[in-house]
Amino acid sequence: MQKRPLYPPFTIGVDLGGTNTVYAIVDKTGYIIDRDSFPTKTPSVDVWADILADGICRMIDKNSLQGNIVGIGIGAPSANATTGSIEGSTNLPWPPPVPLSNLIEARLGLPVKVNNDANAAAIGEKAYGVAAGMNDFIVLTLGTGVGGGIVCNGHLLSGARGFAGELGHVTFPFAQDRVCGCGRKGCLETVASARGIVETAKRLMKTTDKPSMLRKKTEEELTSKTIAEAANAGDELAKEVFDFTGECLGKAAAEFASFTDPEAIILFGGVAKAGDLLINPMREAFGKHTLHLYRDRVRFLISSLEGANAALVGAASLPLG
Amino acid sequence: MQKRPLYPPFTIGVDLGGTNTVYAIVDKTGYIIDRDSFPTKTPSVDVWADILADGICRMIDKNSLQGNIVGIGIGAPSANATTGSIEGSTNLPWPPPVPLSNLIEARLGLPVKVNNDANAAAIGEKAYGVAAGMNDFIVLTLGTGVGGGIVCNGHLLSGARGFAGELGHVTFPFAQDRVCGCGRKGCLETVASARGIVETAKRLMKTTDKPSMLRKKTEEELTSKTIAEAANAGDELAKEVFDFTGECLGKAAAEFASFTDPEAIILFGGVAKAGDLLINPMREAFGKHTLHLYRDRVRFLISSLEGANAALVGAASLPLG
């Protein structure tokens, strides 16, 4: 088998999830040279850091890349780039704040950049994905929650304390009848997250008597993924769910444009796999609702980073951002 | 009379208004060393540029500052920093696009930076005003219209085509019954501009029978300024106008915070002179409506740039930004 050429600089990406911690060596093109993982649940955060540092060392040795790693990027929920720590509550086994960057820098002597998954996704799209060459774009991560990563004038926006881009918690009239996990009403997240999509399907099944293959699904089977599959198979009610979600995203994007005049708005994450089911109604609603300055000027794109590894290569891109 | 010491670098500020063009030499502290003006209405934009260039040359000579001017900043309605031109319709005597920066650079051989008044205000506040030393803040200019200037991570945001920060045209539920000049409904401008404030007063006079000194005012006498005077004199209905406007601004700011995590939100322009009448209800509504991450973390300030010259020194700050 011919060996793929590798392009420096090389970085380490760490995707810190509630269940598993995945880490990898990634080259300049976003290619994963090697990867490994271990369960995040450990007796203490110090034990977790020991396991991670040890694993990274062995991976660097195994691939003969000693002295060739320019930095480590860690993507984690509620991670704050300014402090290098996890702040705010998460589904991780350790109470906040978790001083991620200090813990790993002390063990490996390499610069560590930490950010939340949405900001890591934004830098990842610029480094390896559909935002290559762009200086002004917004990434919306649509998953369990909804996050935002904003690049403007070529810079990832972090803000005064690292909390810029919380676009899942901008509120809208279309969601005023939904309560968000943050305690407020009307957040974009209540509609455009995986949970929001399931909620929309449930409401449509309850308030209409349209036939739908979704009606046969159990509570566990009804997910944003199975709703997308039904829509792609021609199920009208399921299509309506994505029409509504896309319309809401378009209305939201219409307002977001007024902040940073983006060249593109990029959907990222599990829900974004619905692709045109979301993008088409989103583009239409954007055109209807945005200020004339932005009409027909913003591209709507789906992340090109490979599904399961998107968060990982996003994290690996942080030292380059 | 003792002469005030002057601090380099020196810049030229030009405030291009529909009626007058005002220009000045300004020092590093925002002190106006010399100023002059002429009517903007001229037979052509070339004649206008000739008069301005000639005036600037003579002013530099008169103050013996030849070779000491680092640049020229022009603040103008619908001016686009990226192209250096006025784009979009304005109340100026020439049809767009007006290639401002080319016109003046060609005549004076000095670097020219052009921006709209809201962005000039933001750079001005950072250079000489209440945002000195801040890297993350939002300026809202409240005048005939409402504009926004966003500084994040130390940079003024311009966006893909120079149209970032159009915060007067973010739409909100509280203004859904008001049509904006842009043709859309619910823009912040319909409530928080001088015209919006007059409209709120008219509506309150129509829908309530509260006594008010405003009821005796003619159409011409009813302005945001006279309403503020009435409120300061204890007029309950006039106070209610500012309570409503401040509440709307607070709700808007609550959403704006999610974009750039600002340290401060600064009110600028004629309407902002109402001061605490606006800031107090604004702060209260912000606390009620914003995401917990931003609560009690954002300062609400009134511009400290001297009223009539604020736009002028804002323009003068552009070469420093």
Side-chain angles (χ1 to χ4, degrees), chain B residues 12 41 103 106 122 124-126 163 175 206 218 239 278-279 282 311 318:
Chain B
I12 305 285
K41 205 171 174 185
L103 283 166
E125 292 298 341
K126 188 167 162 63
F163 294 122
K206 210 172 185 177
T218 64
K239 274 198 228 170
L278 279 177
I279 289 281
M282 183 176 181
L318 288 172

Side-chain angles (χ1 to χ4, degrees), chain A residues 160-161 163 166 171 255 261 294, chain B residues 160-161 163 171 255 261 294:
Chain A
R161 293 166 303 116
F163 294 122
E166 284 288 349
T171 69
E255 307 294 343
D261 184 17
Y294 312 113
Chain B
R161 293 165 304 116
F163 294 122
T171 69
E255 307 294 343
D261 184 18
Y294 312 113

Side-chain angles (χ1 to χ4, degrees), chain B residues 11-316:
Chain B
T11 59
I12 305 285
V14 181
D15 175 19
L16 170 50
T19 310
N20 288 306
T21 297
V22 191
Y23 57 99
I25 304 177
V26 175
D27 84 351
K28 188 197 177 180
T29 68
Y31 174 73
I32 294 177
I33 298 169
D34 199 355
R35 61 173 274 164
D36 206 346
S37 67
F38 62 95
T40 300
K41 205 171 174 185
T42 44
S44 75
V45 70
D46 287 293
V47 173
W48 173 84
D50 286 340
I51 297 173
L52 177 62
D54 187 52
I56 288 174
C57 275
R58 279 186 288 123
M59 189 179 279
I60 293 172
D61 286 353
K62 181 181 148 203
N63 291 278
S64 308
L65 286 171
Q66 299 93 330
N68 285 300
I69 305 294
V70 297
I72 299 173
I74 309 180
S78 295
N80 186 303
T82 305
T83 61
S85 298
I86 294 177
E87 298 177 7
S89 55
T90 64
N91 58 351
L92 297 174
W94 325 294
V98 181
L100 275 186
S101 103
N102 289 348
L103 283 166
I104 303 304
E105 270 177 7
R107 281 163 174 82
L108 291 174
L110 281 167
V112 175
K113 285 214 181 175
V114 166
N115 222 319
N116 67 48
D117 43 357
N119 286 338
I123 298 291
E125 292 298 341
K126 188 167 162 63
Y128 321 122
V130 290
M134 287 188 198
N135 284 319
D136 299 276
F137 61 96
I138 296 173
V139 169
L140 292 173
T141 59
L142 310 178
T144 313
V146 170
I150 309 174
V151 172
C152 188
N153 298 19
H155 302 280
L156 178 73
L157 302 188
S158 55
R161 293 165 304 116
F163 294 122
E166 284 289 349
L167 303 183
H169 296 286
V170 178
T171 69
F172 290 95
F174 54 68
Q176 278 308 315
D177 58 345
R178 300 197 185 191
V179 176
C180 185
C182 75
R184 295 148 72 238
K185 276 183 188 168
C187 293
L188 179 61
E189 176 164 309
T190 64
V191 167
S193 63
R195 206 177 309 177
I197 285 172
V198 170
E199 174 66 19
T200 302
K202 284 183 181 168
R203 289 182 182 209
L204 272 176
M205 286 192 277
K206 210 172 185 177
T207 56
T208 71
D209 51 10
K210 278 196 183 159
S212 168
M213 62 178 83
L214 299 179
R215 294 187 186 276
K216 288 174 220 142
K217 304 248 183 247
T218 64
E219 179 79 22
E220 287 71 39
E221 287 168 351
L222 195 67
T223 64
S224 63
K225 194 174 164 217
T226 57
I227 299 168
E229 285 164 2
N232 280 321
D235 189 281
E236 286 299 325
L237 188 141
K239 274 198 228 170
E240 215 174 300
V241 172
F242 282 98
D243 282 346
F244 173 77
T245 312
E247 190 189 335
C248 292
L249 281 166
K251 286 177 178 172
E255 307 294 343
F256 296 171
S258 295
F259 284 81
T260 56
D261 184 18
E263 181 180 347
I265 294 177
I266 299 162
L267 302 185
F268 179 105
V271 172
K273 288 181 193 139
D276 285 346
L277 285 175
L278 279 177
I279 289 281
N280 288 341
M282 183 176 181
R283 187 184 291 116
E284 194 183 325
F286 179 88
K288 251 187 227 165
H289 292 279
T290 201
L291 186 63
H292 59 90
L293 291 173
Y294 312 113
R295 205 171 290 146
D296 304 322
R297 300 297 183 104
V298 179
R299 296 161 67 198
F300 294 91
L301 304 170
I302 298 285
S303 165
S304 63
L305 300 184
E306 194 202 328
N309 292 321
L312 187 60
V313 297

Side-chain angles (χ1 to χ4, degrees), chain A residues 222-297:
Chain A
L222 194 67
T223 64
S224 63
K225 195 175 164 215
T226 57
I227 299 168
E229 284 163 1
N232 280 321
D235 189 280
E236 286 300 324
L237 188 141
K239 275 197 228 169
E240 216 174 300
V241 172
F242 282 97
D243 282 346
F244 173 78
T245 312
E247 191 191 334
C248 292
L249 281 166
K251 286 177 178 172
E255 307 294 343
F256 295 171
S258 294
F259 284 81
T260 56
D261 184 17
E263 180 180 346
I265 294 178
I266 298 163
L267 303 185
F268 178 104
V271 172
K273 289 184 192 136
D276 285 346
L277 285 174
L278 278 177
I279 289 281
N280 289 340
M282 182 176 182
R283 188 184 290 115
E284 196 183 323
F286 179 86
K288 253 186 227 166
H289 293 279
T290 201
L291 187 62
H292 59 89
L293 291 173
Y294 312 113
R295 205 171 289 145
D296 303 322
R297 302 295 184 107

